[in-house]
Amino acid sequence: MTTSLRAPLSDTTGYPASFAERYRQAGYWTDETFQQFLGARAAEFEDAVAVVGPDATGGETSLTYRQLTDRAGRLAAGLLESGIHPGDRVVVQLPNIVEYVEVVFALFRLGALPVFALPAHREHEVSYFCSFTDAAAYIVTDRHAGFDYRALARQVVSSSEKPPTVIVAGDAQEFVALDDLRGSAPITVEAPVDAESVAFLQLSGGTTGVSKLIPRTHADYLYSVRESARICGVDEHTRMLVVLPAAHNFPMSSPGILGVLHAGGRVVLAPDPSPDTAFALIEREGITMASLVPPLALAWLAAAARTERDLSSLEVLQVGGAKFSAEAAKRVRPELGCTVQQVFGMAEGLVNYTRLDDPESILVSTQGRPISPDDEVLVVDDHDVPVAAGASGHLLTRGPYTIRGYYRAPEHNSTAFTEDGFYRTGDIVRLTDDGYLVVEGRAKDQINRGGEKVAAEEVENHLLAHPRVADVAVVSMPDPYLGERTCAFVVVLGEQPTQGELKKFVRGRGLAEYKVPDKVMFVEHFPVTGVGKISKSELRRALEKTLATP
Ligand code: OOB
């Protein structure tokens, strides 16, 4: 086998030896890896259907466990032949199509590391993921939701010093076609991977200029997948509808696609997130479970009242990614006829679930409790001192599937983690007497736009590049549908640009659409705090007052 031209991933994962030993002893970390995962599942579940969904040709494909494993094995052989090697990073940006599952498992089989981009990302984000991870390849679909990813790939290649090989599912034009890579036989020269090595890189919602990358290991992630499947009652009868972007941590592993495949159930990929499409699939496939962000859950509740579809197979509706109000959560059982499960998680690790047999009061008014008895959860004040029982404070966490540091970010890690290795989640929570978490707010400089996370600093940096922007502060503003939207307060230099010009400017810099400010407010100067920093809380208050005035 030829060796890769790309440097190996040099970072260690940062778990101290004593903790790693404890997690192994407790049986959380095992030798299981994603490299063998699918093969082992195929041996057990054989001809059961693993995944059904749209494919890159615009048709629909259904694959059994055996077929999916065979396809992933053959694609792994082709990827190797095309110059992708074990240890290489590969940026994957695919919508909810069956090729997504095939590609991810082909990369695992090969021992290459997926870097999970979202379909909404654009040139700015993708170029950064490719260059920062020194990616050997970038895998996209031809077109999706009216957007041509080959045009994006051209931009990424032309701005890159070490362009990745572009591989396209569907019509590849000048790029490598995924269809041409499936070899005639599955890969045979597998270099076995270590269960405690990094399996892939996830993206953080982020609070800084660029998303931080999250290195998850086979052992830590598989532990969370197995336990999530158990807690959520996933088994071979589960039919999971995947509505959210498949590469997000929630539909990927909480218990998501991986949890369902672990248990021998069926993953059904929804081509779009509309209730009409989802309800038709629930009826046709006998869907038992789905995971949504709050705005989509509200859309389902609204649509349920007038649908003629039979939704009676639905047993569990998971809602997470942003706070789901108790008022909305209460409506799920009477209006959709299923159990609501709140999920409060983060790509960095910690995931909390309400348990399916919890009393209704817990289901609707808490965000659940941690997966593991060894998830350490601290609620502290601004000086890292634990608050009184039941009081709210900053959530810090450490545990068997929570990272100890972001990928190649030593400076950021020194503030994002405590000296003892606790991750500072940036969330404000309180703990109930029974150990459930209630999310009360957020201390991090981030806007949660219906589950999509926007780092204020990233948008601010782009606005500051405009010649007539002297200073800027991006804050959240309340929104009845998304929970929050973004508002940019701008101090101008000279003639005032229009809101539209500034939005267009940000868009033109290749930023994902969900990061473009929803509103721009022009101000003379910013309110400041005692130490002279811009007071974002005061800006938010001023904004709420403006919005409340008719
Ligand atoms: C999930 O992961 P991320 O990495 O996109 O975002 C994590 C952040 C949390 O720190 C918190 O601020 C917010 O999203 N969040 C919630 C929440 N779930 C996530 N805030 C309030 N209530 C909730 N239920 O969003 C994620 C990852 C795995 C499973 C579920 C969600």
Side-chain angles (χ1 to χ4, degrees):
M1 198 190 303
T2 50
T3 48
S4 176
L5 302 173
R6 310 271 163 170
L9 198 78
S10 54
D11 281 23
T12 63
T13 57
Y15 288 101
S18 56
F19 280 85
E21 185 52 29
R22 193 166 110 206
Y23 299 152
R24 266 178 237 127
Q25 287 291 326
Y28 306 149
W29 291 4
T30 68
D31 292 336
E32 188 183 12
T33 69
F34 284 109
Q35 188 171 43
Q36 329 126 351
F37 178 92
L38 201 57
R41 293 295 152 293
E44 193 173 347
F45 304 114
E46 303 182 333
D47 296 322
V49 173
V51 57
V52 184
D55 59 37
T57 68
E60 193 179 62
T61 295
S62 164
L63 297 173
T64 65
Y65 277 81
R66 249 206 266 260
Q67 289 167 330
L68 175 61
T69 307
D70 177 64
R71 285 214 352 191
R74 288 192 289 123
L75 181 57
L79 289 169
L80 181 65
E81 220 161 276
S82 77
I84 298 165
H85 296 89
D88 279 350
R89 276 74 62 200
V90 174
V91 175
V92 177
Q93 187 183 31
L94 292 170
N96 292 4
I97 55 178
V98 288
E99 287 87 347
Y100 166 83
V101 184
E102 178 192 359
V103 163
V104 170
F105 278 103
L107 293 171
F108 284 151
R109 182 84 182 264
L110 180 57
L113 281 67
V115 180
F116 289 108
L118 296 173
H121 287 134
R122 291 297 176 257
E123 195 215 337
H124 175 74
E125 291 97 355
V126 175
S127 292
Y128 164 72
F129 303 147
C130 289
S131 64
F132 193 65
T133 66
D134 190 18
Y138 169 42
I139 307 186
V140 289
T141 186
D142 49 9
R143 295 181 66 84
H144 178 72
F147 183 76
D148 191 334
Y149 285 88
R150 295 158 302 192
L152 173 57
R154 264 171 226 127
Q155 292 176 318
V156 170
V157 165
S158 72
S159 67
S160 170
E161 271 174 33
K162 263 166 95 182
T165 303
V166 176
I167 300 170
V168 180
D171 176 5
Q173 295 178 336
E174 74 268 36
F175 300 117
V176 177
L178 188 80
D179 277 343
D180 293 343
L181 288 184
R182 289 189 198 96
S184 49
I187 192 167
T188 49
V189 280
E190 283 159 82
V193 300
D194 182 332
E196 288 171 32
S197 70
V198 177
F200 57 85
L201 295 166
Q202 263 284 14
L203 308 182
S204 74
T207 52
T208 52
V210 284
S211 282
K212 294 287 174 279
L213 298 174
I214 298 172
R216 299 293 300 261
T217 67
H218 298 267
D220 95 69
Y221 211 64
L222 277 163
Y223 167 58
S224 76
V225 165
R226 287 190 300 266
E227 281 302 285
S228 293
R230 189 184 59 74
I231 289 168
C232 301
V234 171
D235 61 21
E236 66 269 32
H237 305 296
T238 300
R239 302 273 183 275
M240 157 103 50
L241 185 66
V242 180
V243 175
L244 299 174
H248 188 272
N249 201 61
F250 183 14
M252 179 142 99
S253 64
S254 303
I257 295 173
L258 296 173
V260 172
L261 295 179
H262 163 76
R266 181 181 301 184
V267 171
V268 179
L269 302 170
D272 70 74
S274 72
D276 284 351
T277 303
F279 289 1
L281 285 169
I282 292 174
E283 183 176 84
R284 192 191 84 186
E285 295 285 332
I287 295 294
T288 59
M289 185 170 187
S291 48
L292 301 178
V293 288
L296 279 176
L298 292 174
W300 279 34
L301 285 167
R306 51 178 169 75
T307 189
E308 298 195 341
R309 300 287 182 184
D310 176 5
L311 307 181
S312 60
S313 59
L314 197 60
E315 293 165 6
V316 179
L317 183 68
Q318 299 185 293
V319 186
K323 176 94 179 229
F324 195 40
S325 72
E327 295 71 46
K330 259 182 217 154
R331 293 172 50 198
V332 170
R333 195 184 298 280
E335 296 178 34
L336 282 163
C338 63
T339 302
V340 64
Q341 180 178 45
Q342 300 221 31
V343 187
F344 165 39
M346 52 208 72
E348 285 80 357
L350 182 71
V351 179
N352 303 277
Y353 296 105
T354 52
R355 304 308 199 250
L356 301 180
D357 56 358
D358 279 339
E360 197 73 10
S361 60
I362 285 185
L363 294 180
V364 303
S365 62
T366 80
Q367 278 63 58
R369 62 180 163 88
I371 289 179
S372 174
D374 271 309
D375 278 322
E376 299 170 73
V377 159
L378 294 176
V379 184
V380 301
D381 66 13
D382 290 348
H383 308 288
D384 288 351
V385 177
V387 298
S392 52
H394 303 275
L395 171 65
L396 309 183
T397 187
R398 182 169 79 171
Y401 59 97
T402 295
I403 56 162
R404 293 299 188 119
Y406 291 102
Y407 173 62
R408 285 177 52 199
E411 206 172 304
H412 183 67
N413 287 340
S414 66
T415 52
F417 296 81
T418 67
E419 278 184 6
D420 301 336
F422 280 84
Y423 167 55
R424 297 182 189 277
T425 65
D427 294 310
I428 303 290
V429 303
R430 71 181 160 81
L431 260 175
T432 68
D433 292 346
D434 337 307
Y436 284 73
L437 289 162
V438 178
V439 180
E440 301 269 350
R442 189 171 54 238
K444 55 190 165 191
D445 203 6
Q446 185 185 77
I447 294 95
N448 190 335
R449 208 173 167 280
E452 287 185 311
K453 315 304 183 318
V454 181
E457 188 184 317
E458 180 174 20
V459 184
E460 287 163 1
N461 287 345
H462 284 279
L463 282 164
L464 279 172
H466 191 281
R468 278 181 291 158
V469 172
D471 207 353
V472 58
V474 172
V475 300
S476 63
M477 61 180 175
D479 180 79
Y481 177 64
L482 290 179
E484 294 172 16
R485 284 183 195 263
T486 50
C487 176
F489 282 89
V490 173
V491 177
V492 294
L493 204 65
E495 203 191 324
Q496 184 173 307
T498 63
Q499 275 208 46
E501 266 175 67
L502 288 183
K503 291 186 191 181
K504 199 167 150 206
F505 176 76
V506 172
R507 210 171 272 132
R509 290 175 62 86
L511 218 57
E513 185 63 28
Y514 69 88
K515 298 181 187 171
V516 175
D518 292 294
K519 187 179 176 73
V520 180
M521 299 265 285
F522 296 100
V523 288
E524 300 269 306
H525 51 81
F526 294 128
V528 288
T529 63
V531 291
K533 276 174 51 181
I534 296 177
S535 170
K536 290 203 168 179
S537 50
E538 205 153 309
L539 285 174
R540 274 191 295 269
R541 267 196 300 278
L543 187 58
E544 278 173 40
K545 231 185 262 169
T546 319
L547 296 175
T549 329

